[in-house]
Every structure is written in structure tokens, then in C-alpha cells.
């Protein structure tokens, strides 16, 4: 039975702890988020009424450094989900070896229903409410589902106004004009591309003409479609909240992008036939890339997934039950905490550049990203083969091991 995302995250930790014989005292610490803040975010709407939204910021663990994690604006945001996403951030930062702990934030809201002014008010008030928790040495937010560069700029400005001077390093995923990094916008998708290519090569499957299906066409999914097409892959299916499109001969990335720019959805793109989001996941393909929300591959559909490889661009798209079914069916799953770590990696580069006030070129950023992703991929793969475990178990073990080492080296306070 599937539970919440938090149950899923705990189950993954517990399983890794069992396999690696984790010290039960360390396990106990890691099962609990360090702190969780629930805030009320009242704003004046355009019709002059006041509405209160609920927001969260969770720090899961800071043993390896300040915490890092996105902010999500979505109607289904809840504390359990934010806790799970924060825990996954802890392992993710450790897997790619960047000196951060894990955090996540969110507001229960559909940002598409707000005007620009309301969105700015919501963001500034939410930022003010979580102000005691964030800061360049403390906790550094970034974009996630429903938030973007502009939202990050408003948070940076709100924090800076309270400090009395500009603090670009308080958030990442900012516009270039206020201390953003070259290459950040497509970084998560670029990292997904690197690990997808590495997986295809490892399984001796040709990259050229590999058939790919992508669920989600946002900040992560859209660059994935573009970058994998550039590698010679054939993107046969793409979907978003509005629905999906399928063309076994391939969808034009340029055509999709211009259709999306016009209509804000890939649904209805005339270069393919319409499919539902359920059908999309079950299409004939070599690689399936969920890049939308969690828990989309479940025990209900896992045995109908045709892909040979699932690359988790989204966080938590596969439930533990589905994971087992996919494993039994020999579907290779490249787990979220490895596959989508390109975003936090370039966020780390952005933070380093902000702190030094010295900026790198896109080529420098992409080359450093590629090195981190390919080396992390090899570390996880080697561990999986050595321990005879899945890539997810290996990635979780690697992350937990590094966090546990930092925790025990520092010792339990007081
Ligand atoms: P986004 O808001 O930019 O895009 C989300 C996409 O998912 C949109 O295309 C939306 O239409 C689609 N979607 C939403 N609900 C859906 C549904 N019910 N069915 C099908 N499609 C649906 O968000 P994003 O930043 O691209 O994030 C996508 C996933 O990647 C999330 O799981 C996020 O946590 C993860 N992620 C994002 C980053 C990043 O840098 N933005 C980094 C790591 C992981």
C-alpha cells in the first residue's frame, strides 16, 4: 500500500539502514527532520479581500553544511511532502558531494490563479515569515514546481531589504541580472541528459535513436526534451498537466517549444496524436523520464511500463511497491537523488560565485556539472554492483553514509 511521500522516504532510509548496518542511534537522528516551520501567509488580493495561505520550510539535516532545497507553490503541498523532499535533498547533496544539508519549502497555492501582484505579495510575505531560517550560511532556497527565477529575485530582495544590503547568496536559481549563474536554468535537465546517456551506454543501448518519453514540460522537462534530442534521441511522447502527445516517429523539440510558448501546454500539439497522462507513461519507448510530480509510477501501473530505463527527473515519482515491480521486470531505475542532482549542483556553483562575486562562463559551469554528474553516476553504479543492490539503494546508502560520517565526526550535541 502506498502511503505519503514521507512514508516513502522513510521506507527508503530504513531499507538502506538495514543493508548498510547503520548505527541505530544515527538512524534515529536521520529519521527526523531537524526543524519544521509552519507559517500563515496573509495577502491582500486584487479584489481587496485578505486571504491566508499556509507555507512550510523544513530543514532535514545540516551535518554537512547549510541546508539547501527548493520552494514549491502547488495546491497539494503539505507538511509530509515537504519533509520527504527535504530528506531527499539531504541524500542528494551528499551523493554529488556538495557541502550542504537538505531542506524544502512550499506554499499551498495554485500560482496560476494569482495575478503577478498577488504572487509577489505572497512571495515577499512567505519569505518574511521564513526569514529566521534562511540565509547564505544557514539555508539557501531555490526554485521548484510552481516557482521560478522571478520568485527567487523577490525572495533575494526581501531578505536584502531586511539586511540593509544586497545578499545574492541567500537563494539560487536567480536571474543573471541579480547574481544568477550561467547554465542554471537548464542544469537539472542537463544533469538528467548526462545520466541518461551514461545509462544507455552502460546497458549497451545506442544513444542515437533511443526512444524517450518525458512526463512534465516545465523547468526540468523542457530542457530534457531539447538536450536529449540534441544527443540524437527520439522524443516520442511528452505530457504535462494539460495532457500528452505521442508520435512514434518523433516530436519536433522546436515545434513543441513554440506550441508551448503559445498555449502554455504541450497538449494539442499538432505534431502528434493526443494521449492521456496515464497512457503517456505506458507508451512503447526505451527511456521513460518522469519530470512532473511524485508517485506517478505505482503498483497500479508499474507492470505496464514499457521502458527499459526509468530516469527519475522528478523527485519521488516511483512508489516503493512500484520500485520492486520494476526491479523484478529488470527495468533499470536511475533514482531521483542522482538523476536530478544537476540542479542543486549548479545551485551550489551559483552560491560559490555569489560568495566570491566572481562569475564563470556557461562552458565552465557545464564542464564542472558534467564531471560531477558522471563521477557520481559511476560511484553509485559501482556501489550497486559491489553490494548487489539497486541504483536507488546504492544512492541512498552512499548519501546516508556520508551524512552519518559527518554526524558522528561532529558528535551528538550537547
Ligand atoms: P515546473 O513547475 O517547472 O514544471 C512541472 C511540470 O509538471 C509542468 O509541465 C506541469 O504541467 C507538469 N505537471 C504538473 N502536474 C502534473 C500532472 N498531474 N500530470 C502531468 N504533468 C503534470 O516544475 P519543475 O521545476 O520542472 O519540477 C518538476 C520535478 O522536478 C519536481 O518533482 C521537482 O521537485 C523536480 N526537480 C526540480 C528541480 C529544478 O531545478 N527545478 C531540481 C530537481 C528536481
Amino acid at each position: 500500500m502506498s502511503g505519503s511521500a514521507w512514508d516513502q522516504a522513510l521506507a527508503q532510509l530504513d531499507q538502506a539502514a538495514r543493508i548498510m548496518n547503520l548505527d541505530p542511534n544515527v538512524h534515529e537522528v536521520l529519521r527526523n527532520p531537524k526543524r519544521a516551520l509552519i507559517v500563515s501567509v496573509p495577502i491582500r488580493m486584487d479584489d481587496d479581500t485578505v486571504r491566508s495561505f499556509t507555507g512550510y520550510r523544513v530543514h532535514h539535516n545540516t551535518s554537512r553544511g547549510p541546508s539547501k532545497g527548493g520552494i514549491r507553490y502547488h495546491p497539494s503541498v503539505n507538511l509530509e511532502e515537504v519533509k520527504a523532499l527535504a530528506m531527499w535533498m539531504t541524500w542528494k547533496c551528499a551523493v554529488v558531494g556538495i557541502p550542504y544539508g537538505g531542506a524544502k519549502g512550499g506554499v499551498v497555492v495554485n500560482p496560476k490563479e494569482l495575478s503577478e501582484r498577488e504572487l509577489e505579495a505572497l512571495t515577499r510575505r512567505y519569505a518574511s515569515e521564513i526569514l529566521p531560517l534562511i540565509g547564505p550560511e544557514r539555508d539557501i532556497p531555490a526554485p521548484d514546481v510552481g516557482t521560478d527565477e522571478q520568485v527567487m529575485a523577490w525572495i533575494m530582495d526581501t531578505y536584502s531589504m531586511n539586511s540593509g544590503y544586497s545578499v545574492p547568496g541567500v537563494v539560487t536559481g536567480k536571474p543573471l541580472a541579480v547574481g544568477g549563474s550561467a547554465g542554471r536554468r537548464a542544469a537539472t535537465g542537463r544533469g538528467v541528459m548526462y545520466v541518461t546517456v551514461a545509462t544507455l551506454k552502460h546497458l549497451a543501448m545506442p544513444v542515437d535513436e533511443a526512444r524517450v518519453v518525458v512526463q512534465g514540460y516545465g523547468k526540468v522537462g523542457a530542457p530534457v526534451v531539447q538536450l536529449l534530442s540534441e544527443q540524437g534521441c527520439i522524443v516520442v511522447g511528452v505530457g504535462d498537466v494539460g495532457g500528452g502527445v505521442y508520435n512514434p516517429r518523433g516530436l519536433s523539440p522546436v515545434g513543441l517549444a513554440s506550441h508551448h510558448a503559445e498555449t502554455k501546454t504541450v497538449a494539442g500539439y499538432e505534431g502528434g496524436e493526443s494521449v492521456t497522462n496515464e497512457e503517456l507513461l505506458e507508451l512503447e519507448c526505451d527511456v521513460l523520464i518522469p519530470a512532473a510530480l511524485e508517485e506517478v509510477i505505482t503498483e497500479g501501473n508499474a507492470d505496464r511500463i514499457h521502458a527499459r530505463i526509468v530516469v527519475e527527473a522528478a523527485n519521488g515519482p516511483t512508489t516503493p511497491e512500484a520500485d520492486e515491480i520494476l526491479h523484478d521486470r529488470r527495468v533499470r531505475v536511475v533514482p531521483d537523488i542522482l538523476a536530478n542532482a544537476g540542479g542543486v549542483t549548479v545551485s551550489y556553483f551559483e552560491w560559490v560565485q555569489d560568495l566570491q562575486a566572481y562569475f564563470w562562463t556557461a562552458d565552465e559551469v557545464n564542464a564542472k556539472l558534467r564531471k560531477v554528474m558522471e563521477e557520481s553516476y559511476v560511484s553509485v553504479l559501482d556501489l550497486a554492483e559491489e553490494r548487489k543492490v539497486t541504483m536507488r539503494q546504492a544512492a541512498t546508502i552512499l548519501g546516508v553514509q556520508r551524512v552519518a560520517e559527518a554526524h558522528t565526526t561532529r558528535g551528538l550535541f550537547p
Side-chain angles (χ1 to χ4, degrees):
M1 280 293 131
S2 288
S4 66
W6 177 239
D7 294 329
Q8 184 180 329
L10 277 181
Q12 290 161 357
L13 168 63
D14 293 347
Q15 190 185 48
R18 258 195 317 277
I19 300 171
M20 65 195 280
N21 271 326
L22 181 68
D23 177 344
N25 290 328
V26 177
H27 188 189
E28 170 69 11
V29 172
L30 298 182
R31 288 188 106 249
N32 296 284
K34 178 182 174 69
R35 50 172 82 92
L37 181 65
I38 305 177
V39 297
S40 156
V41 187
I43 60 164
R44 191 169 298 280
M45 306 297 285
D46 290 345
D47 67 4
D48 224 25
T49 60
V50 170
R51 259 183 80 187
S52 276
F53 297 86
T54 302
Y56 306 95
R57 186 75 188 166
V58 173
H59 295 177
H60 171 255
N61 185 283
T62 57
S63 294
R64 298 180 70 259
S67 53
K68 185 94 189 77
I71 290 175
R72 180 173 291 195
Y73 288 176
H74 194 273
S76 67
V77 163
N78 60 76
L79 184 57
E80 299 280 286
E81 180 187 63
V82 181
K83 278 162 60 181
L85 289 162
M87 181 187 269
W88 287 325
M89 284 306 297
T90 304
W91 314 144
K92 188 183 303 180
C93 293
V95 165
V96 289
I98 58 179
Y100 286 139
K104 203 78 181 192
V107 178
V108 189
V109 61
N110 182 351
K112 290 188 188 139
E113 288 171 0
L114 299 186
S115 68
E116 172 101 349
R117 193 204 61 78
E118 291 167 340
L119 190 65
E120 178 172 352
L122 177 92
T123 300
R124 288 186 181 278
R125 183 61 188 256
Y126 168 68
S128 303
E129 296 298 338
I130 64 165
L131 214 61
L133 292 199
I134 63 174
E137 281 87 30
R138 210 174 276 244
D139 173 27
I140 306 117
D144 191 72
V145 176
T147 57
D148 59 12
E149 292 185 352
Q150 179 58 66
V151 169
M152 295 306 116
W154 288 326
I155 296 176
M156 179 267 194
D157 187 67
T158 302
Y159 187 90
S160 299
M161 286 301 136
N162 278 274
S163 306
Y165 52 92
S166 292
V167 189
V170 65
V171 285
T172 58
K174 298 179 294 296
L176 286 173
V178 293
S181 174
R184 173 62 184 91
R185 199 174 288 167
T188 308
R190 186 171 290 276
V192 169
M193 180 268 281
Y194 290 140
V195 299
T196 303
V197 169
T199 309
L200 284 164
K201 286 186 176 159
H202 175 70
L203 296 179
M205 293 165 71
V207 177
D208 214 25
E209 312 224 321
R211 294 162 307 153
V212 179
V213 169
V214 182
Q215 183 201 39
Y217 193 79
K219 295 184 294 298
V220 179
V224 165
V225 169
Q226 176 65 36
L227 291 164
L228 281 175
S229 300
E230 286 170 16
Q231 295 298 312
C233 299
I234 301 176
V235 177
V236 294
V238 176
D240 64 18
V241 71
V245 278
Y246 171 60
N247 186 338
R249 292 185 309 282
L251 297 160
S252 151
V254 177
L256 265 177
S258 63
H259 177 84
H260 186 269
E262 249 170 58
T263 63
K264 305 283 169 244
T265 175
V266 294
Y269 172 55
E270 67 281 6
E273 58 184 90
S274 292
V275 286
T276 65
N277 264 307
E278 293 71 41
E279 289 164 344
L280 184 87
L281 296 170
E282 299 168 16
L283 289 174
E284 278 301 335
C285 62
D286 300 303
V287 186
L288 172 64
I289 305 185
L293 295 174
E294 50 267 16
E295 298 188 44
V296 293
I297 305 178
T298 65
E299 58 190 329
N301 63 3
D303 55 359
R304 293 196 303 276
I305 301 290
H306 284 96
R308 174 93 193 280
I309 301 169
V310 173
V311 180
E312 295 184 332
N315 285 305
T318 312
T319 65
E321 296 81 6
D323 231 4
E324 270 184 39
I325 297 171
L326 294 178
H327 178 65
D328 291 345
R329 296 185 50 227
R330 299 180 170 274
V331 177
R332 167 68 58 137
V333 178
V334 184
D336 45 9
I337 57 173
L338 170 66
N340 68 33
V344 75
T345 301
V346 176
S347 274
Y348 166 58
F349 296 161
E350 179 176 333
W351 178 77
V352 169
Q353 293 170 78
D354 288 338
L355 296 185
Q356 298 182 340
Y358 179 69
F359 289 86
W360 313 341
T361 64
D363 283 349
E364 285 173 297
V365 169
N366 292 343
K368 287 180 204 291
L369 171 64
R370 180 176 187 160
K371 188 167 184 309
V372 169
M373 293 307 296
E374 292 182 347
E375 287 178 359
S376 304
Y377 177 83
V378 170
S379 309
V380 172
L381 187 64
D382 285 352
L383 189 66
E385 289 179 351
E386 182 193 316
R387 294 245 186 182
K388 302 204 176 358
V389 295
T390 64
M391 291 278 282
R392 186 188 316 285
Q393 288 162 340
T396 310
I397 290 169
L398 188 64
V400 171
Q401 224 164 32
R402 290 177 175 168
V403 177
E405 187 188 348
H407 172 77
T408 39
T409 307
R410 288 174 61 160
L412 183 68
F413 182 84

